[in-house]
């Protein structure tokens, strides 16, 4: 029970900590205060409770594939929201317009709410399912305390690591957001493979003998990089394509922004 709870935290709670730290750091760089995060947190708690109470009804829709479709679609939406957010953050203009700041806040709120709601509902299902079991409450409490401590420690280390590396690599936050959102896209492909929407019979390799996907380290890699011990060719191509698209979009928007500023500066000089 203790180990299962810790692994659950790494699988469902750690993504919440990671995306929160990444977005808070990115928006602070734009001078945006934390009010957007409080709104996202409150909204996520309410939606998680709603999803918890309607989980059975959702799961039995669409020939008992409703849950997979819901999660997969929202994970895909997260990827495109991340692309929109990256495109806005790459367009550097001073002073930043109110419209742009509003769009950045909306993207951050939507991304946070989706990740918190889906992962929070998974966690609540586990807690409510095991809380009343005999001799399980003590181990569950210990696991929760340990899991919160691990996730909080990783989040704090990630925050200061980003601040430190930012001195040498200015795109570290963007890179972390890219691999995190692509990881969510990989979760969507797994769910679609489970319900036979995508083919999953041709596995490229099985790396479980190196890093077990369901182990603590495997869950950590899954959160940060979308690690899959048994990927298919389609998943690998999609993973690479999604990263390339995100990097290309960020580079294009950044280059376009610099070119625009250069032209404007030249006109003002003339």
């Amino acid at each position: 029970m203790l180990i299962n709870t810790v692994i659950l935290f790494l699988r469902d709670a750690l993504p919440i900590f990671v995306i929160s730290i990444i977005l808070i750091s990115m928006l602070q760089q734009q001078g945006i205060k934390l009010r957007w995060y409080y709104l996202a947190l409150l909204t996520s708690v309410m939606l998680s409770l709603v999803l918890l109470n309607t989980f059975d009804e959702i799961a039995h829709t669409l020939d008992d594939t409703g849950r997979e479709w819901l999660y997969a679609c929202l994970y895909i939406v997260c990827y495109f929201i991340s692309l929109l957010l990256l495109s806005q953050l790459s367009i550097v203009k001073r002073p930043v317009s109110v419209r742009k700041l509003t769009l950045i806040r909306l993207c951050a709120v939507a991304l946070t709410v989706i990740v918190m709601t889906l992962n929070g509902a998974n966690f609540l299902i586990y807690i409510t399912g095991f809380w009343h079991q005999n001799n399980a409450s003590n181990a569950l409490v210990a696991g929760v305390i340990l899991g919160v401590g691990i996730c909080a420690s990783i989040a704090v280390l990630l925050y200061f690591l980003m601040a430190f590396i930012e001195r040498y690599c200015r795109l570290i936050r963007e890179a972390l957001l890219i691999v995190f959102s692509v990881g969510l896209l990989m979760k969507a492909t797994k769910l679609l493979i489970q319900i036979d929407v995508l083919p999953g019979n041709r596995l490229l390799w099985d790396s479980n003998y190196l890093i077990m996907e369901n182990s603590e380290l495997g869950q950590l890699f899954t959160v940060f990089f979308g690690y899959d011990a048994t990927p298919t060719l389609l998943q690998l191509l999609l993973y690479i394509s999604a990263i390339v698209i995100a990097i290309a979009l960020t580079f294009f928007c950044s280059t376009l922004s610099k070119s625009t500023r250069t032209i404007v500066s030249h006109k003002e000089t003339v």
Side-chain angles (χ1 to χ4, degrees):
M1 177 65 68
L2 179 61
I3 299 299
N4 290 338
T5 304
V6 173
I7 292 177
L8 175 78
F9 262 92
L10 293 175
R11 188 191 71 187
D12 291 327
L14 185 58
I16 296 175
F17 283 81
V18 170
I19 192 60
S20 297
I21 290 298
I22 293 174
L23 293 178
I24 288 172
S25 180
M26 295 178 78
L27 269 65
Q28 280 181 342
Q29 194 178 35
Q30 299 291 324
I32 300 176
K33 297 181 179 179
L34 283 176
R35 284 176 291 185
W36 69 269
Y37 186 74
Y38 302 141
L39 173 63
L41 184 62
L42 179 61
T43 305
S44 301
V45 171
M46 293 188 294
L47 290 178
S48 294
L49 294 174
V50 171
L51 184 57
L52 174 65
N53 292 324
T54 58
F55 194 84
D56 290 337
E57 290 79 0
I58 293 174
H60 288 96
T61 58
L62 300 174
D63 295 328
D64 294 332
T65 62
R67 173 191 173 276
E68 287 79 5
W69 275 111
L70 174 65
Y71 277 59
C73 290
L74 289 178
Y75 284 144
I76 294 171
V77 168
C78 283
Y79 173 74
F80 286 104
I81 292 175
S82 298
L83 291 183
L84 179 59
L85 180 59
L86 287 167
S87 68
Q88 293 302 309
L89 292 172
S90 299
I91 303 175
V92 181
K93 293 181 181 180
R94 292 291 184 271
V96 182
S97 66
V98 175
R99 180 180 178 182
K100 178 183 174 182
L101 288 176
T102 302
L103 183 56
I104 291 174
R105 289 192 189 96
L106 288 175
C107 289
V109 168
L111 190 55
T112 305
V113 166
I114 293 175
V115 174
M116 281 189 175
T117 299
L118 298 184
N119 287 274
N122 288 339
F123 182 77
L124 289 174
I125 290 171
Y126 177 86
I127 292 295
T128 55
F130 285 94
W131 187 260
H132 297 292
Q133 286 189 7
N134 294 331
N135 302 320
S137 58
N138 292 334
L140 192 60
V141 170
V144 168
I145 295 173
L146 185 59
V148 170
I150 292 173
C151 292
S153 300
I154 294 174
V156 172
L157 289 173
L158 178 63
Y159 181 84
F160 287 106
L161 180 64
M162 286 193 298
F164 176 75
I165 299 179
E166 189 73 16
R167 302 175 185 176
Y168 309 99
C169 179
R170 298 186 61 185
L171 298 178
I172 183 63
R173 296 182 179 92
E174 288 79 359
L176 286 171
L177 180 59
I178 288 172
V179 294
F180 181 86
S181 60
V182 172
L184 296 180
L185 200 59
M186 291 302 99
K187 287 185 178 181
T189 61
K190 286 184 181 180
L191 292 170
L192 294 177
I193 288 173
Q194 289 178 13
I195 58 177
D196 298 326
V197 175
L198 295 178
N201 54 346
R202 294 184 179 180
L203 303 180
L204 293 179
W205 63 73
D206 187 348
S207 57
N208 277 306
Y209 68 96
L210 291 175
I211 301 176
M212 288 287 295
E213 188 174 339
N214 293 326
S215 66
E216 293 85 346
L217 184 59
Q219 292 298 332
L220 193 64
F221 276 36
T222 300
V223 171
F224 280 98
F225 310 111
Y227 172 70
D228 190 343
T230 56
T232 64
L233 178 60
L234 178 62
Q235 285 180 292
L236 180 61
L237 293 176
L238 183 60
Y239 186 89
I240 296 173
S241 300
I243 289 180
V244 170
I245 290 171
I247 293 175
L249 178 65
T250 303
F251 179 78
F252 174 77
C253 291
S254 179
T255 303
L256 180 63
S257 177
K258 290 179 181 178
S259 300
T260 304
R261 282 185 296 159
T262 301
I263 294 173
V264 172
S265 177
H266 178 71
K267 289 182 178 179
E268 290 177 351
T269 303
V270 173

